[in-house]
Amino acid sequence: MYLQGNLQAVFDALYHMGVIDPVLEMDWGKALDEMNEYESEFFRVLNVANEYQDDMQTLMVNLKKFDQQTLSYLAMEVAREYAEYHSRENLQ
């Protein structure tokens, strides 16, 4: 499952919630090694992000239902998909 649609809206919501800065400082390798423990929550948070990205307030209300680690994985997914998008743009 992937994020679909407006990555910027999801990033902005996570930024306003204070999720982005701690994610930038964390050891992503270690966090990704532990991601299997959060797999079901990760898919749930992706669904929320995909469903509510057109309404920032509703998106943030629904994202606040998740723990910090799950939100961190969502932030990493946003970063990964941005990187993939930009690498495709550079190849064209």
Side-chain angles (χ1 to χ4, degrees), residues 36-61:
N36 287 337
E37 299 171 27
Y38 290 85
E39 187 174 14
S40 65
E41 284 298 294
F42 178 66
F43 288 128
R44 285 185 55 229
V45 79
L46 283 178
N47 283 331
V48 166
N50 286 334
E51 185 172 347
Y52 298 109
Q53 62 186 257
D54 293 330
D55 181 349
M56 172 113 38
Q57 292 298 75
T58 304
L59 175 59
M60 290 193 309
V61 164

Side-chain angles (χ1 to χ4, degrees), residues 75-86:
M76 285 185 246
E77 180 65 13
V78 169
R80 186 188 67 77
E81 292 198 23
Y82 262 130
E84 284 183 7
Y85 171 78
H86 286 290

Side-chain angles (χ1 to χ4, degrees), residues 57-82:
Q57 292 298 75
T58 304
L59 175 59
M60 290 193 309
V61 164
N62 283 284
L63 289 177
K64 287 179 182 178
K65 297 174 184 176
F66 294 91
D67 65 26
Q68 187 66 31
Q69 190 63 37
T70 303
L71 294 175
S72 295
Y73 289 126
L74 178 60
M76 285 185 246
E77 180 65 13
V78 169
R80 186 188 67 77
E81 292 198 23
Y82 262 130

Side-chain angles (χ1 to χ4, degrees), residues 9-26:
V10 178
F11 175 88
D12 290 346
L14 292 169
Y15 181 81
H16 288 295
M17 293 171 63
V19 175
I20 298 298
D21 287 336
V23 168
L24 293 175
E25 296 173 8
M26 71 189 319

